[in-house]
Structure formats: structure tokens, C-alpha cells
Amino acid sequence: MVALPGEGSATTYHLRPPGGGTQWSAPADGRTLRPVPVQATHATLLAGQDAVYDPRARQGSVPVEFHFDEGTTLDGALILTTAELERLYAQTSRLLDAHERALGGTS
């Protein structure tokens, strides 16, 4: 940070990347200074937990663990409508068939 609002004549944040580089400004209310969120790289099934179907909501919930690019994880749920469950079933069935063929199975 080069200058904070209120320091000298600064009415905005004056910033520069660590180690130098091009300086830029941000509004004094800090609305553009929010941290950049980490990116999820993938999700895996959460061990020891099973999927559940809620007939009233007509949705399924699959417990997953989200993995982020900086190495952290977060437990969550993949919520699927009936149509999405059918699509996922068709896709995973094709994957299992391909796996069987790769192993020399009869599928």
C-alpha cells in the first residue's frame, strides 16, 4: 500500500504490487479491496456419508468435499433435482461401462 485515504492528500487507496510494479487506486470505501476468493479445483465424495433423497423436495443430496487451489477443503453437498439425478445416473453408468470394457469385462 502506497497511501491510505486520509493520509496527506490521499482520497483513495494507492496500491502497488509487492516488489514493485504499476500503481493503481481503489475507492476510499474499500468496496474493491475485497479478498479474491480461492478457486475450487474439484469435489470428491465425502467418506463415510451416504446420499439421501428428499421426496417432498424431489431432490437428492450427495455429501461432497470441495478442494481448493491453495490446498484447503470444505465439506458441502451436491443438490440434484430428479432430472439431474437421472442425467448423473446415465453419465456414471457410461463411465462404469467404459471401465468394465477397459478391464476386458463383458459390458
Side-chain angles (χ1 to χ4, degrees), residues 18-53:
T22 304
Q23 184 175 316
W24 77 96
S25 297
D29 64 7
R31 70 181 180 272
T32 60
L33 297 176
R34 292 186 190 105
V36 176
V38 294
Q39 296 295 310
T41 58
H42 63 286
T44 55
L45 295 177
L46 200 53
Q49 297 191 26
D50 203 5
V52 265
Y53 182 74

Side-chain angles (χ1 to χ4, degrees), residues 47-92:
Q49 297 191 26
D50 203 5
V52 265
Y53 182 74
D54 181 349
R56 289 177 302 156
R58 296 184 179 170
Q59 294 178 333
S61 174
V62 181
V64 295
E65 182 176 49
F66 295 100
H67 299 259
F68 297 96
D69 59 4
E70 38 66 284
T72 61
T73 60
L74 179 66
D75 292 355
L78 176 61
I79 307 297
L80 301 161
T81 64
T82 303
E84 292 167 333
L85 285 167
E86 291 171 352
R87 195 169 100 216
L88 183 60
Y89 177 76
Q91 291 174 354
T92 55

